[in-house]
Amino acid sequence: MNSRSVKHASLAYPFTFLRRAEKSFNLTERLKFDLRSEFYNLLNHATFNVPGFTLGAADFGVVSSARAPRTAQIAARLSF
């Protein structure tokens, strides 16, 4: 099984753990089955958005939201 980091997405979420795994199965000479999974924020650490930055506003310096929690997607492809 080939597993590697998704490096291009690391700039958008610098403190999350991103993984992708993929595997190919040759069922017959002409039939191939590919299976792929991607996991974003695998360790489910909170990644907070920037705090309020308008001086004098009620939310100045307050972090009021966070980015998306752990997500995953699975894909399968049958080639013939």
Side-chain angles (χ1 to χ4, degrees), residues 31-48:
L31 202 58
K32 181 179 168 186
F33 181 72
D34 296 321
L35 188 62
R36 183 176 72 191
S37 63
E38 296 175 346
F39 301 94
Y40 304 96
N41 197 3
L42 185 63
L43 301 176
N44 205 24
H45 291 186
T47 305
F48 298 106

Side-chain angles (χ1 to χ4, degrees), residues 11-42:
L11 295 174
Y13 299 101
F15 301 110
T16 59
F17 189 68
L18 311 172
R19 292 303 280 177
R20 178 174 65 184
E22 49 191 10
K23 178 72 177 168
S24 292
F25 301 95
N26 290 324
L27 302 176
T28 65
E29 188 174 307
R30 293 181 53 214
L31 202 58
K32 181 179 168 186
F33 181 72
D34 296 321
L35 188 62
R36 183 176 72 191
S37 63
E38 296 175 346
F39 301 94
Y40 304 96
N41 197 3
L42 185 63

Side-chain angles (χ1 to χ4, degrees), residues 46-54 57-67:
T47 305
F48 298 106
N49 288 326
V50 295
F53 53 85
T54 305
D59 66 345
F60 178 74
V62 177
V63 178
S64 59
S65 61
R67 297 191 181 189

